[in-house]
Amino acid sequence: MVVVRAAVLPSVGSPLEIAGIELPEPGPGQVRVRLAAAGVCHSDLSLSDGTMRVPVPAVLGHEGAGTVVAVGEGVTRVAPGDGVVLNWAPSCGACHHCGLGEVWLCADALSGVGRVYAITEDGTELHPGLNVAAFAEETVVAADCVLPVPDGVPLTDAALLGCAVLTGYGAVHHSARVRQGESVVVFGAGGVGLAALQAARIAGAGPVVAVDVSAEKEPLARAAGATDFLVASGTTAKEIRKLTGGHGADVAVECVGRAATIRTAWDSTRRGGRTTVVGIGGKEQQVTFNALEIFHWGRTLSGCVYGNSDPARDLPVLAEHVRAGRLDLSALVTDRITLDGIPSAFDNMLAGKGGRALIVF
């Protein structure tokens, strides 16, 4: 057993508790990783408040990178000393969706969340959040939950590849399939939204409009590639049409997960345009359309899971963008914190402040 510090969610809606937990040595097919960094994602907040459900008590955190310190029997893909990115949604390769090549919809991707992976010092059994339990100094995961850190990507920055960048980049390149010269509007300039803005710039889109409730996000959004910035209001859709020749954006990417924002994203898209919803909202967030407008506008509205990404395929592509200077991972981070800073990071997300908070170990 190894004792490490972790952020434990005792029950849904409870405050996180920073405590020592006992990790076993990795069993067959498992890997123990010492975390270098972990990002605080809005999905972690959604898990803590019950918007998304996982077994509890649990250690949350699903966006991380670190160094392999031990491997279990039968593990050959990585070895102690290797830098790895955590992959919270590994594909099984055998289900219906994997057979279709849609690995981001794998039916068994979250099959590991129900296992007991550690215990508290008083013997309480703990579950691994979204498979990987990155809000801890170390974690034990299945070997298919790690991927090698690509050459040329700093280990701490690599944590962001595990969710924010794969999701934001994938939403633009895989789901919306943005083409050079198309106009793009991104709703929400948090970690995922900033990654989507960088991806739109990489795709050669223009204009690229960022929308957020906070005017303080404008410098972050423009640094990521936004040519225009709007503070969200009741006239947002009209303002976007003015910025796009009166037509509306070719593509809208919604990174908030609220019914009103999804509806505004739809209204901001031109006739025949594409609206991609990345944000995760609750069941109470009902979005309504009438039958005539669906016919008349001819728009496409689509959900987007994990950026419709295949991490094994996409990480090398993202790494090449990083090495070439096209993708700036550190620009997504506005706060570098310790485990004790996670509650404040949650508060900032609720208040619409900052980009990505990164736990640095």
Side-chain angles (χ1 to χ4, degrees):
M1 286 281 187
V2 177
V3 178
V4 300
R5 292 180 79 239
V8 177
L9 179 69
S11 60
V12 173
S14 296
L16 294 179
E17 298 176 357
I18 308 302
I21 67 169
E22 296 181 359
L23 286 176
E25 291 299 318
Q30 293 183 327
V31 176
R32 183 155 58 89
V33 178
R34 179 178 299 120
L35 273 296
V40 182
C41 178
H42 202 281
S43 296
D44 298 309
L45 179 59
S46 296
L47 291 166
S48 71
D49 67 17
T51 300
M52 298 166 61
R53 293 281 184 173
V54 292
V56 291
V59 174
L60 303 182
H62 60 281
E63 179 183 271
T67 303
V68 175
V69 292
V71 299
E73 180 183 349
V75 175
T76 58
R77 62 189 298 174
V78 293
D82 288 352
V84 293
V85 177
L86 298 180
N87 176 16
W88 62 271
S91 55
C92 70
C95 71
H96 176 70
H97 288 290
C98 286
L100 294 173
E102 299 171 347
V103 298
W104 53 92
L105 299 178
C106 175
D108 296 316
L110 295 179
S111 60
V113 301
R115 70 184 174 96
V116 173
Y117 96 110
I119 59 174
T120 63
E121 292 182 291
D122 66 4
T124 302
E125 295 181 334
L126 295 171
H127 301 284
L130 289 182
N131 278 326
V132 296
F135 287 173
E137 294 170 329
E138 294 188 11
T139 188
V140 174
V141 300
D144 60 1
C145 285
V146 298
L147 292 165
V149 171
D151 292 339
V153 179
L155 188 58
T156 300
D157 289 350
L160 301 165
L161 297 174
C163 183
V165 179
L166 277 171
T167 301
Y169 179 91
V172 168
H173 286 267
H174 303 321
S175 180
R177 294 184 175 142
V178 172
R179 298 180 290 267
Q180 184 171 359
E182 288 192 311
S183 55
V184 174
V185 55
V186 176
F187 288 82
V192 173
L194 292 173
L197 288 168
Q198 290 206 42
R201 173 176 46 76
I202 290 170
V208 177
V209 184
V211 180
D212 199 276
V213 295
S214 172
E216 295 176 2
K217 296 283 190 74
E218 182 170 0
L220 286 172
R222 289 190 180 276
T227 58
D228 299 274
F229 181 88
L230 299 174
V231 176
S233 71
T235 61
T236 295
K238 183 182 293 186
E239 293 176 75
I240 289 168
R241 285 194 291 274
K242 287 181 181 178
L243 292 171
T244 53
H247 305 292
D250 294 304
V251 171
V253 180
E254 199 274 357
C255 302
V256 180
R258 294 191 185 128
T261 315
I262 294 169
R263 179 69 220 199
T264 301
W266 166 271
D267 290 337
S268 301
T269 310
R270 68 167 174 83
R271 194 176 188 189
R274 288 127 36 220
T275 303
T276 292
V277 178
V278 181
I280 301 172
K283 293 179 180 179
E284 77 284 356
Q285 295 289 323
Q286 298 290 315
V287 188
T288 59
F289 308 92
N290 66 59
L292 181 60
E293 69 174 313
I294 292 173
F295 160 76
H296 172 76
W297 289 104
R299 296 165 174 149
T300 300
L301 177 68
S302 61
C304 178
V305 177
Y306 204 6
N308 293 10
S309 292
D310 177 350
R313 174 199 66 196
D314 293 334
L315 283 184
V317 176
L318 294 173
E320 181 55 37
H321 286 310
V322 172
R323 289 191 292 266
R326 292 184 292 266
L327 180 60
D328 184 355
L329 299 178
S330 62
L332 306 180
V333 179
T334 53
D335 298 282
R336 294 178 185 267
I337 62 174
T338 65
L339 282 173
D340 302 273
I342 298 174
S344 293
F346 281 176
D347 290 341
N348 285 339
M349 276 192 283
L350 287 170
K353 296 179 180 178
R356 205 44 139 211
L358 188 67
I359 305 161
V360 179
F361 294 93

